[in-house]
Amino acid sequence: MGNAVAKKKSAELSTDVMDDILEFAGEGASFDSSEMQIPFVRILQAMSPQLKKRESDYIQGSEQGDMFNNVTMELFTGEKGIVVVPCFQTVKYLEFIPRDQGGGFQGYIDATDPVLQKTTRSGAKEILPNGNELVKSDQHFCLVIGEDGITQPVVIDMKSSQLKVSRRWKTQIAMQKIKHPKTGQMVLPPLFATQWKFTTVEESNDQGTWFNYHIEKVGLVQNRDLMLEAKAFRESIAAGEVKAAPEEGDSSSRDSTSGRNVDVVVPDEDEIPF
């Protein structure tokens, strides 16, 4: 008990210290946008390294179906979930060398590139003319609202079987209507004025089991400052101030969302400069 009290007291800042912190707020803590990253939120699958105690990426207490922030390594239980404000949505096309040929991420393909119309189907895979695999990814830039009300920008990217969830979510967003208090007309609220809860559910097919997102509507944003923050975040992405860019080095990412239990090795394109 005494130790607990000591810890509590040590965590309490004196008025003088707090005054100094507020006076010098932000000093030395601002960095160039190229040195900062917008993390991804991902679901932990059966072979995720974050579940393995001997892996450097291990997250204590993590379980299959939980979600995690890939930069801060913060864990979100799949049952409790997270509440987000969506701010911007885009589609990325990724090129991979097939795993039986060594694997590896080869970069992004522009959505207007005619090569996207020349793919062939091989089972659940889309194959480019050069033999590499094409993977479509819906990327949702969001603000995660913490229990303390503090927000953090993240990207929730959806591939494979998650694309059906993404399409369903887009449909739900497009179907929202609110009544204009003066004209009585039904209008579509802006994307960044809505809140949604993400949890996870288990899915399976004849090739295996995995966890997928489940999304429920929470309602409209009630705090004006939060909505303006989300709007500013959206505008920074649209202006190109925030964009996906591969970084040096490789990291392992598990992609079992299609039930095909395959290990995909990709560079840190998951880490987006902010």
Side-chain angles (χ1 to χ4, degrees), residues 29-221:
S30 297
F31 302 96
D32 184 85
S33 61
S34 64
E35 299 179 274
M36 301 181 68
Q37 300 167 340
I38 293 184
F40 276 57
V41 167
R42 293 246 166 82
I43 299 176
L44 292 173
Q45 306 292 349
M47 296 300 293
S48 297
Q50 291 78 15
L51 297 175
K52 302 177 181 178
K53 291 184 178 180
R54 295 188 180 274
E55 294 281 351
S56 61
D57 291 335
Y58 172 67
I59 301 176
Q60 186 174 4
S62 60
E63 297 181 357
Q64 291 183 50
D66 288 344
M67 295 172 279
F68 76 104
N69 179 312
N70 78 330
V71 171
T72 66
M73 306 306 283
E74 182 178 359
L75 188 68
F76 311 103
T77 63
E79 184 177 355
K80 187 173 183 180
I82 55 176
V83 175
V84 309
V85 177
C87 302
F88 193 89
Q89 299 172 343
T90 187
V91 178
K92 294 288 185 180
Y93 295 92
L94 296 75
E95 180 179 355
F96 290 89
I97 296 174
R99 184 167 181 254
D100 58 9
Q101 297 176 29
F105 175 69
Q106 293 299 287
Y108 296 107
I109 299 177
D110 190 271
T112 61
D113 194 319
V115 74
L116 296 179
Q117 307 302 319
K118 301 177 182 179
T119 62
T120 55
R121 192 80 173 177
S122 177
K125 302 177 181 178
E126 291 288 338
I127 308 300
L128 293 160
N130 64 3
N132 288 342
E133 296 177 16
L134 177 70
V135 175
K136 180 183 177 183
S137 172
D138 277 5
Q139 295 191 345
H140 302 272
F141 291 75
C142 304
L143 293 179
V144 174
I145 306 173
E147 293 183 356
D148 55 5
I150 296 176
T151 62
Q152 56 178 309
V154 302
V155 177
I156 302 176
D157 63 329
M158 300 186 185
K159 301 183 288 290
S160 302
S161 68
Q162 295 173 349
L163 285 173
K164 67 181 182 182
V165 180
S166 182
R167 289 191 293 269
R168 189 181 305 126
W169 188 26
K170 290 178 180 179
T171 302
Q172 288 177 281
I173 291 171
M175 291 177 63
Q176 293 186 105
K177 294 291 189 297
I178 58 174
K179 182 178 289 188
H180 193 294
K182 295 182 179 179
T183 66
Q185 292 182 320
M186 303 302 292
V187 299
L188 180 66
L191 177 68
F192 51 82
T194 63
Q195 296 183 90
W196 305 81
K197 184 174 183 178
F198 276 64
T199 53
T200 64
V201 293
E202 189 173 16
E203 296 185 350
S204 64
N205 59 20
D206 57 0
Q207 296 177 325
T209 62
W210 66 97
F211 284 86
N212 208 339
Y213 290 112
H214 176 72
I215 306 174
E216 296 178 79
K217 179 180 176 181
V218 175
L220 296 175
V221 171

Side-chain angles (χ1 to χ4, degrees), residues 36-38 40 141 155 242-244 269-274:
M36 301 181 68
Q37 300 167 340
I38 293 184
F40 276 57
F141 291 75
V155 177
V242 176
K243 58 184 179 181
E269 87 279 2
D270 296 350
E271 300 174 349
I272 299 180
F274 178 49

